[in-house]
Amino acid sequence: MGLESSKWAIIFLVCWLYKNVSCNSVEQKIYVELNNTVPCVRLLNATHQIGCQSSISGDTGVIHVLESEADLEWPLSKGPNPPYMVLLESSLFTRSIMMKMKNESNRVAGVAVVVPNTSPPEFSPHTTCPNENTGVYSDNYGPNLAHCNTTVWNPRGNGLSYEEFDFPVFSLKEDNETEFIKQCYLDHNRAVNGSAPQYPLCAMQLFSHMHAVTNTPTCMRRNDINFSINPEMVCDPLGDYNVWGSIRPYNDTVFGHKENESVVIAAARLDSRAFFWEVSTGAEGSVSGFVTLLAAAQALREVTHAAPPTRNILFAFFQGETFDYIGSSRMVYDMENGKFVIDLDNIHSVLEIGQVAVHSGTNLFLHSDPVSRRNNTVNDENLVNNLQSSTAGLGFLLVEPNVSQPLPPSSLQRFLRAQPIPGIVLADHESAFNNRYYESFYDNAANLNLTYPSDLSPEEQLEFVTDTAKSLTDVATVVARALYKQAGGDESLVNTIKADPKIVTQMLYGFLVSSNNSWFQAVMAPELKNILKPSPPEYYVGVAMSSTPTRLVQYLLANLTGAATNLTQSQCQKPDELPNESRQVGVPLDLSVCRWIDVQRITMLTLGVGVAVLFTSLLVTYFISTKADVLFSSTREPASAAY
Amino acid sequence: MTASVFFGCTFIAFGPAIALFLFTIARDPLRVIFLIAGAFFWLCSLLLSSLVWFITVQISNKESSSQQKGLLIFGVVLSVLLQETCRFGYYKLLKKANEGLLMLSAEETMPISIRQLAYVSGLGFGFMSGAFSMVNILADSVGPGTIGIHGDSQHYFLSSAFMTMAIVLLHMFWGVVFFDSCEKQHWWSLAVVVISHLLVSCLTFQNPQYVGSLVPTYIIVFLLGLWAFFCSGGSLRNLKLCLTCKDKDFLLANHRPR
């Protein structure tokens, strides 16, 4: 009989001894834990903070399932049991409702949003004018074009991602747990005919305490305060690596201007974001762009080996573009300060691939900067001609937009801030974005109409060439041909350049459906295989160095453009850190628990009874002990001591 | 808000025990020692019965709820019997210890009588039993929630506290009666103690009908309290004397030293 094994048996015993019939922990009778939740986190920039925050021990509130915007009156003014925890369907997750709750935040303990499996008609929590203060247009440069005065790029944007909320906001999936919450509300919290519901009520507690507050300088200063052996970091800078590679290798220890070197830069962005932490898929916003560029890079591999063009082509994938162009501004900074392999003067032209997958017609559009063209400081004509002539034999045309409108938000703007450079941004939208879910959690494979026949296994889906893949392949072919011509390559070989639809569809599958597939596994380094998951990777730039998309693009670029001559292997990665302006994010914790609120009456009663029992027993015992002699005097043992 | 439930339930469950400890035991170190030893003996019985419980649960069919219920009843009965056995074992140990102490001490009289030991050991059993019953529940009562999200009764905390108070008092009374009947070799009263213990434990199977389990339990508490009072030398006459404050005359008349 070992005493060791009876240790945990005591726990079982405590459960049933004198109390319950079945051995349930008491905690399970009080709380239900919610597992599939995602918080909204706090982000800081140099002057402000955005995002959501809970108090340090979590926020508790009575559950209220919002039925309509008019129903908001109950939690905000009429309801007798504040604070309330408001549960919203996605159709009610609008700016007006959130702002009303923000104004009455002493009555609102938190918000939970139910994210459905099918996307609503449109939703974009980003601002209407993305990155308006950090692009090239300002009061000094094209003032009538700045701040989206001519073209509003994201008209559907409600700007919720850039608001500051003092209560936690979580997203819930549409599953059993959410049904349980709604049922709990219907059973107990619903007001019948306007009268107050009786206690006990269903309540919810949300924890998402963020240590980062105020703004970046304050937060970084607090990071430096070290009082203990284990200093606590209160915030981390957003940052990652850019990925770049060129068809002719550079010695990556030799920096600065290179004589007689002329480079065509082909750029795309890697990241996106959403209102909630890390759930960004950015299918149209970023994946369409960089997949096209990777396919173009692969298409150029053979012809650039056989007949190398005069100028070099540099493929650049920028991270952190969502947050005021972290990646591209760093590369420009390095070029200006002679810390990069080439210099701004070495750049011949820039071709950037923007959002290219959601067509509203058959044409794609070439955006350029009107200010520099008007001043004749740059000559985009060659690039435009090269692009337009590359569409021969494919089903669409490349058109320049009619009105004199600014560049859309793009990395090219950061290059133009430093120096006038000819550049074109290729996009599927003529003015406002076609993307109805810009920088939101609905910008996923469904937004690109990426559908597979239902009877295919995952490996078969990987190989299946979808229509989306076909259209992106055509775009990649155009880009590759134009780049080759722009780099001064042999004209007669241009028509042999074709992007491979199989590669494009495999990339789309890996980046938008499941990153844990056989092709990615073959391409990735063996020690990094565990970052591959059966879901799409998250494109939030994050605070860890080297997120999954960065790694994947790095290895894919090497795989698709590398050859037996090891062309770009050593140059495929360049460390990137933040320049002066940076955004910070707090360290989040998240846990949601659904629980009941106690009855005021019963608690006071319990306390009162307890205190009364204690005093009574003290009195009675004192009385008995002082009179013990008398009380217990009969049949006393003859030689016993006194009590 | 529910710190008040926590304190309320603590005071309800352990109020009488704390009061008794403060006024009758805390001043005498010997009594404190025997109280703790009594608690330890209860803990031993718990250890043994939980070991048996653990083994039987592991080898049983976890799916069948009737088997689990039967196992529970078996567990309760076994635990009660083991507790009473340990109480008996403690009694035997104390008898031996008393003889030893008497031999060692210079005085003629024993430093602590067997009746006091009965009371102290019973209270020790009660403390430990109450602690194991209640502490887990008290820990969960501190959070902002209360029982009921799956439809259980809200009065769980309150009724647990009252039940624990009853158990603590009962253990004290059982201790007194048990030792007294062992001294006088009244085996039938021993049997009554064991049977009443079984009865109280099995009454808890009525939960969540808390009225059905608490009311009979308190009736038993009252009856046993009376019995223990009479066993330990009380009588109605003494009680009347105390209550009408004529005890001083009684004492003077009998010249008893305090």
Side-chain angles (χ1 to χ4, degrees):
Chain A
M1 276 271 191
L3 282 177
E4 304 85 35
S5 53
S6 48
K7 270 200 292 267
W8 54 85
I10 292 174
I11 299 165
F12 286 101
L13 200 69
V14 167
C15 278
W16 55 254
L17 202 61
Y18 300 127
K19 289 294 169 285
N20 307 315
V21 176
S22 57
C23 184
N24 278 334
S25 155
V26 176
E27 193 167 345
Q28 283 170 8
K29 286 189 184 294
I30 306 180
Y31 309 120
V32 170
E33 285 217 13
L34 302 173
N35 292 322
N36 301 324
T37 59
V38 184
C40 127
V41 298
R42 173 145 280 165
L43 291 151
L44 310 169
N45 74 356
T47 49
H48 290 85
Q49 59 182 10
I50 60 175
C52 324
Q53 163 90 317
S54 82
S55 52
I56 192 156
S57 51
D59 286 311
T60 314
V62 173
I63 296 178
H64 181 78
V65 175
L66 204 66
E67 283 146 28
S68 64
E69 186 157 351
D71 194 25
L72 208 54
E73 211 185 14
W74 182 263
L76 295 187
S77 50
K78 270 179 28 190
N81 318 105
Y84 284 93
M85 195 57 82
V86 181
L87 193 81
L88 294 177
E89 297 291 337
S90 67
S91 54
L92 291 170
F93 185 45
T94 61
R95 187 180 173 84
S96 67
I97 290 183
M98 290 300 286
M99 295 313 280
K100 280 189 195 160
M101 286 199 283
K102 176 180 166 166
N103 290 334
E104 289 283 343
S105 58
N106 56 331
R107 280 184 66 107
V108 175
V111 175
V113 179
V114 180
V115 174
N117 297 327
T118 55
S119 311
E122 62 179 37
F123 179 77
S124 171
H126 211 77
T127 49
T128 49
C129 200
N131 290 343
E132 65 182 300
N133 295 320
T134 42
V136 67
Y137 301 106
S138 62
D139 294 333
N140 301 329
Y141 188 101
N144 56 323
L145 303 170
H147 304 297
C148 293
N149 281 334
T150 17
T151 315
V152 178
W153 296 111
N154 187 26
R156 301 171 186 94
N158 56 27
L160 278 176
S161 290
Y162 287 83
E163 290 292 335
E164 183 198 338
F165 296 104
D166 286 328
F167 45 76
V169 181
F170 272 75
S171 81
L172 304 171
K173 292 215 184 85
E174 226 174 29
D175 57 8
N176 288 341
E177 289 173 349
T178 316
E179 270 315 301
F180 183 79
I181 297 173
K182 289 185 194 163
Q183 193 56 45
C184 199
Y185 164 77
L186 288 171
D187 290 337
H188 299 102
N189 292 12
R190 209 131 179 230
V192 179
N193 294 337
S195 66
Q198 291 296 320
Y199 272 108
L201 300 168
C202 238
M204 188 148 63
Q205 184 176 46
L206 299 174
F207 291 88
S208 63
H209 182 68
M210 307 283 142
H211 293 300
V213 282
T214 320
N215 55 33
T216 301
T218 311
C219 207
M220 297 306 276
R221 177 174 53 81
R222 286 181 189 171
N223 264 353
D224 292 333
I225 299 174
N226 288 338
F227 279 141
S228 64
I229 298 173
N230 296 326
E232 210 178 77
M233 304 296 276
V234 291
C235 49
D236 302 297
L238 287 175
D240 201 323
Y241 294 89
N242 292 334
V243 178
W244 65 268
S246 55
I247 54 172
R248 271 206 310 269
Y250 285 116
N251 185 346
D252 63 353
T253 52
V254 177
F255 297 139
H257 185 79
K258 289 199 162 46
E259 282 302 324
N260 298 331
E261 182 77 16
S262 183
V263 182
V264 177
I265 294 188
R269 64 182 265 200
L270 274 180
D271 72 317
S272 69
R273 70 168 296 205
F275 182 79
F276 297 107
W277 184 48
E278 265 203 2
V279 286
S280 47
T281 31
E284 157 78 337
S286 47
V287 176
S288 63
F290 73 74
V291 162
T292 310
L293 192 56
L294 281 170
Q298 190 268 335
L300 279 172
R301 171 164 57 175
E302 277 165 34
V303 72
T304 49
H305 286 199
T310 338
R311 301 185 192 98
N312 203 352
I313 304 177
L314 186 129
F315 301 101
F317 298 87
F318 296 117
Q319 262 284 16
E321 296 299 278
T322 320
F323 294 104
D324 294 335
Y325 307 119
I326 298 177
S328 54
S329 55
R330 176 52 193 262
M331 184 176 270
V332 170
Y333 176 85
D334 281 350
M335 284 181 181
E336 281 174 329
N337 293 303
K339 291 191 197 148
F340 194 63
V341 293
I342 55 171
D343 192 312
L344 285 168
D345 296 322
N346 289 123
I347 302 179
H348 175 261
S349 47
V350 176
L351 173 61
E352 180 169 341
I353 324 283
Q355 306 177 69
V356 289
V358 178
H359 299 235
S360 56
T362 46
N363 294 340
L364 291 178
F365 300 92
L366 306 174
H367 296 266
S368 56
D369 173 36
V371 175
S372 51
R373 287 183 90 170
R374 203 183 303 140
N375 293 345
N376 286 326
T377 42
V378 302
N379 188 357
D380 286 326
E381 297 305 323
N382 278 342
L383 187 48
V384 172
N385 288 338
N386 285 336
L387 280 163
Q388 286 177 330
S389 56
S390 305
T391 60
L394 299 166
F396 59 92
L397 292 176
L398 294 178
V399 175
E400 288 189 81
N402 280 332
V403 296
S404 159
Q405 70 178 10
L407 277 176
S410 52
S411 318
L412 177 59
Q413 291 200 19
R414 294 300 297 193
F415 284 90
L416 287 175
R417 258 169 94 118
Q419 184 163 314
I421 297 175
I424 291 282
V425 176
L426 180 64
D428 56 28
H429 52 91
E430 185 171 2
S431 53
F433 292 155
N434 289 338
N435 190 358
R436 290 171 297 158
Y437 309 108
Y438 185 62
E439 309 285 28
S440 94
F441 34 90
Y442 299 116
D443 190 7
N444 48 20
N447 191 20
L448 297 186
N449 279 337
L450 197 68
T451 49
Y452 296 91
S454 48
D455 53 343
L456 294 182
S457 72
E459 281 307 308
E460 287 167 350
Q461 280 181 356
L462 178 68
E463 310 274 318
F464 181 79
V465 179
T466 54
D467 292 334
T468 322
K470 286 186 197 148
S471 97
L472 281 183
T473 311
D474 289 341
V475 179
T477 306
V478 169
V479 167
R481 288 179 184 174
L483 281 173
Y484 188 65
K485 280 191 271 194
Q486 187 75 0
D490 190 349
E491 287 284 337
S492 58
L493 295 173
V494 167
N495 286 337
T496 62
I497 300 175
K498 280 200 176 60
D500 187 354
K502 265 201 70 198
I503 300 234
V504 173
T505 197
Q506 281 178 328
M507 282 198 285
L508 282 178
Y509 181 81
F511 284 115
L512 292 176
V513 180
S514 163
S515 58
N516 191 13
N517 55 62
S518 54
W519 187 46
F520 278 12
Q521 280 170 358
V523 164
M524 290 294 282
E527 67 268 14
L528 291 172
K529 285 222 181 85
N530 57 348
I531 66 171
L532 299 178
K533 304 231 164 21
S535 55
E538 300 297 350
Y539 295 93
Y540 177 61
V541 59
V543 300
M545 290 296 149
S546 276
S547 58
T548 311
T550 312
R551 286 285 190 195
L552 283 171
V553 168
Q554 172 195 351
Y555 280 92
L556 275 175
L557 187 64
N559 179 279
L560 295 174
T561 56
T565 54
N566 279 344
L567 207 61
T568 57
Q569 255 189 7
S570 59
Q571 288 135 2
C572 266
Q573 179 179 344
K574 177 151 177 75
D576 195 14
E577 278 152 37
L578 291 175
N580 298 329
E581 54 208 323
S582 59
R583 289 215 172 187
Q584 320 294 338
V585 74
V587 179
L589 323 152
D590 53 306
L591 173 75
S592 337
V593 173
C594 189
R595 47 175 92 186
W596 284 57
I597 267 198
D598 201 352
V599 184
Q600 292 274 21
R601 266 197 318 273
I602 278 197
T603 53
M604 289 305 135
L605 186 72
T606 312
L607 184 63
V609 169
V611 172
V613 164
L614 183 68
F615 277 128
T616 316
S617 33
L618 282 169
L619 280 172
V620 169
T621 314
Y622 179 68
F623 175 74
I624 292 179
S625 72
T626 47
K627 310 269 191 210
D629 241 10
V630 179
L631 274 175
F632 301 108
S633 60
S634 54
T635 69
R636 189 189 276 275
E637 292 161 32
S640 67
Y643 270 90
Chain B
M1 179 166 56
T2 48
S4 50
V5 169
F6 171 77
F7 282 113
C9 286
T10 311
F11 292 154
I12 292 174
F14 295 111
I18 292 172
L20 287 164
F21 182 81
L22 276 177
F23 285 122
T24 58
I25 295 185
R27 256 176 274 156
D28 190 347
L30 206 56
R31 293 185 195 180
V32 174
I33 291 171
F34 283 117
L35 178 94
I36 294 176
F40 175 73
F41 267 77
W42 188 88
L43 204 57
C44 282
S45 82
L46 184 71
L47 216 62
L48 285 171
S49 44
S50 58
L51 192 67
V52 175
W53 163 259
F54 182 71
I55 293 172
T56 47
V57 161
Q58 290 302 316
I59 60 179
S60 75
N61 175 14
K62 295 211 172 100
E63 303 302 316
S64 144
S65 66
S66 64
Q67 206 182 74
Q68 293 298 313
K69 182 108 194 267
L71 208 58
L72 194 63
I73 297 174
F74 160 71
V76 168
V77 169
L78 178 73
S79 171
V80 167
L81 294 175
L82 276 174
Q83 284 175 50
E84 297 303 329
T85 312
C86 277
R87 209 196 296 274
F88 187 71
Y90 192 41
Y91 167 75
K92 283 288 178 203
L93 190 72
L94 286 178
K95 288 293 279 183
K96 283 221 176 83
N98 256 347
E99 289 167 21
L101 280 171
L102 195 58
M103 275 198 289
L104 286 173
S105 71
E107 302 165 21
E108 257 187 32
T109 58
M110 292 201 290
I112 185 166
S113 77
I114 200 72
R115 201 180 287 164
Q116 291 170 42
L117 279 175
Y119 157 68
V120 160
S121 76
L123 194 60
F125 269 51
F127 260 119
M128 207 48 159
S129 166
F132 267 79
S133 301
M134 205 55 197
V135 164
N136 182 31
I137 295 164
L138 287 175
D140 282 322
S141 71
V142 172
T146 187
I147 298 272
I149 199 161
H150 294 292
D152 308 296
S153 159
Q154 283 181 60
H155 299 102
Y156 183 77
F157 292 133
L158 207 55
S159 56
S160 305
F162 275 109
M163 195 62 184
T164 306
M165 172 164 81
I167 295 292
V168 169
L169 292 172
L170 275 173
H171 268 293
M172 186 177 72
F173 299 147
W174 283 327
V176 171
V177 175
F178 193 98
F179 278 38
D180 189 60
S181 38
C182 281
E183 285 286 292
K184 296 185 184 142
Q185 315 264 330
H186 288 164
W187 305 118
W188 60 269
S189 48
L190 205 69
V192 172
V193 165
V194 178
I195 288 170
S196 65
H197 194 168
L198 277 171
L199 185 65
V200 167
S201 296
C202 291
L203 274 173
T204 60
F205 287 122
Q206 299 262 44
N207 292 336
Q209 261 82 30
Y210 296 123
V211 175
S213 69
L214 279 176
V215 169
T217 307
Y218 271 91
I219 294 173
I220 295 178
V221 169
F222 181 67
L223 290 171
L224 266 171
L226 279 177
W227 190 5
F229 178 65
F230 286 122
C231 269
S232 56
S235 64
L236 275 175
R237 187 172 139 253
N238 296 341
L239 192 60
K240 263 197 292 197
L241 275 173
C242 269
L243 289 173
T244 53
C245 294
K246 292 213 181 77
D247 50 318
K248 291 202 181 59
D249 308 326
F250 178 74
L251 284 171
L252 284 169
N254 286 304
H255 295 295
R256 283 210 192 270
R258 270 244 175 213

